[in-house]
Amino acid sequence: MNEFDLIAKYFTRPNRALKNADLGVGDDAALMTVSAGHQLAVSADMLVAGRHFFADADPERLGHKCLAVNLSDLAAMGAKPTWFTLSLALPSIDEAWLAAFSRGLFALADQHEIELVGGDTTRGPLTIAIQIAGEVPTGQAMLRSHAQIDDDIWVSGPLGGAAAAVMHRTGRAQLPAEIAQQCDLRLDLPQPRLVFGQAIAPFANAALDISDGLAGDLRHICQRSQCAVQIWIASVPSAAQLLHLPHELQLEAKLAGGDDYELCFTAPQSARTNIEALAQEHGLAAQRIGVIIPHGDSQPLVQFLDTTGQSMQFGFGGFDHFKN
């Protein structure tokens, strides 16, 4: 099997009518039209074996995850996904691996009616690169730079489950088998909050998805919006499985653990009723966890407060690809 056989067998769907593109896989470039009154939202992510996922990861789950993390970026913008490209570096052609990987990839793509329109393949260390695009009504995207002083800070669901899975797999913690399997689902099969992201966009100001941990990701909003945040530690929702970890690791998992892909967003206090109703409508346990405040010269961007209102200092931060 050569490169073109691989693409034809596993990543071409010749009998499928394109819904979101004018021309897909097979030419030198894809063609698509953006709907009137909309902007094109584009994002890209690269996943490297041993860095972003365990080298022995189940390929079907990996196919799901590599697309899910890109869909999550569009969810954070309030965008509706339309198409994506896929580039693969493979150590060798393993047909069983490719069949499972493409099965997981296309199952999620079909769920969200998104088209694979092109990409590339080559030989090399296992690396998966996806570029994704979607549409958002002009001027309505949620931006990291739009947080306002006194905004509420929300998360769309419990945090720390994926981090607990990593702690277990790397030997930092020991979880009961059933609990470890539940955490594995959070790590391997994240659920992008696309519909919820589109629903809250008219009410929210700033947003991002939690990929590198709450503590680290919140700094991006602070830096872009020139503000600081106060987070009430007791209000940050924890994955139920964290109760099986020591207290210190519970805090680290929910405040600094990555791979949750829940949305973190800010909204004016007047939007509380709307957001609570939307969360209930979408079956999400969204929680208000803090507030946007002015940034003073001597204060940290992200302040974690205990139940008495005292600031707590931690030695952990978000994930950094060149430090961690």
Side-chain angles (χ1 to χ4, degrees):
M1 178 176 286
N2 62 31
E3 174 185 3
F4 302 102
D5 295 331
L6 183 159
I7 294 170
K9 184 171 183 178
Y10 296 107
F11 300 108
T12 303
R13 308 168 90 182
N15 298 320
R16 178 184 173 85
L18 297 176
K19 295 182 179 179
N20 299 311
D22 302 317
L23 182 67
V25 175
D27 279 77
D28 288 308
L31 299 174
M32 55 280 300
T33 302
V34 179
S35 303
H38 288 72
Q39 292 174 290
L40 187 67
V42 181
S43 183
D45 268 304
M46 183 183 300
L47 281 74
V48 180
R51 189 66 177 165
H52 303 93
F53 59 91
F54 291 96
D56 61 351
D58 175 87
E60 186 167 354
R61 289 187 174 190
L62 184 59
H64 171 104
K65 181 170 183 174
C66 72
L67 182 56
V69 303
N70 283 269
L71 289 169
S72 186
D73 286 333
L74 293 191
M77 301 293 288
K80 182 180 186 296
T82 52
W83 55 263
F84 70 104
T85 63
L86 169 70
S87 293
L88 280 175
L90 301 167
S92 62
I93 295 179
D94 180 336
E95 293 203 54
W97 189 95
L98 284 163
F101 176 84
S102 62
R103 188 165 57 246
L105 179 84
F106 283 125
L108 187 62
D110 290 347
Q111 180 182 333
H112 294 287
E113 298 184 333
I114 180 171
E115 313 284 359
L116 174 62
V117 297
D120 194 18
T121 58
T122 189
R123 185 169 183 171
L126 180 57
T127 304
I128 305 159
I130 285 182
Q131 183 183 53
I132 197 163
E135 295 182 348
V136 62
T138 300
Q140 293 186 26
M142 296 180 288
L143 305 182
R144 297 178 180 184
S145 58
H146 282 186
Q148 303 295 312
I149 302 303
D150 293 329
D151 269 4
D152 292 328
I153 302 170
W154 297 78
V155 291
S156 60
L159 306 180
V166 174
M167 290 175 178
H168 178 78
R169 293 189 193 184
T170 57
R172 290 190 63 201
Q174 189 66 41
L175 295 172
E178 181 180 356
I179 300 301
Q181 290 173 3
Q182 294 170 7
C183 292
D184 284 343
L185 292 176
R186 289 285 291 175
L187 177 66
D188 297 340
L189 298 173
Q191 301 302 313
R193 305 305 185 192
L194 278 161
V195 180
F196 185 63
Q198 294 168 51
I200 64 172
F203 305 101
N205 287 327
L208 47 69
D209 67 330
I210 302 174
S211 57
D212 295 328
L214 180 66
D217 287 333
L218 274 171
R219 289 188 176 89
H220 300 311
I221 288 179
C222 293
Q223 290 163 350
R224 294 299 302 274
S225 293
Q226 299 183 335
C227 64
V229 300
Q230 287 183 339
I231 301 298
W232 314 310
I233 297 173
S235 296
V236 179
S238 301
Q241 295 80 9
L242 298 193
L243 293 175
H244 296 268
L245 293 176
H247 180 68
E248 295 77 9
L249 292 184
Q250 290 183 33
L251 286 175
E252 180 180 344
K254 80 170 183 175
L255 299 181
D259 277 307
D260 281 307
Y261 297 101
E262 295 289 350
L263 297 183
C264 178
F265 58 97
T266 82
Q269 297 176 18
S270 59
R272 288 178 185 173
T273 301
N274 297 100
I275 291 170
E276 289 167 353
L278 287 169
Q280 184 175 10
E281 178 183 336
H282 291 86
L284 297 177
Q287 180 71 38
R288 189 161 49 91
I289 64 167
V291 64
I292 299 290
I293 62 173
H295 179 228
D297 292 337
S298 61
Q299 68 183 113
L301 291 177
V302 180
Q303 303 173 39
F304 288 107
L305 306 183
D306 64 17
T307 54
T308 68
Q310 296 298 308
S311 178
M312 296 187 67
Q313 302 297 320
F314 300 104
F316 50 73
F319 183 80
D320 187 310
H321 294 278
F322 292 95
K323 294 180 180 179
N324 294 91

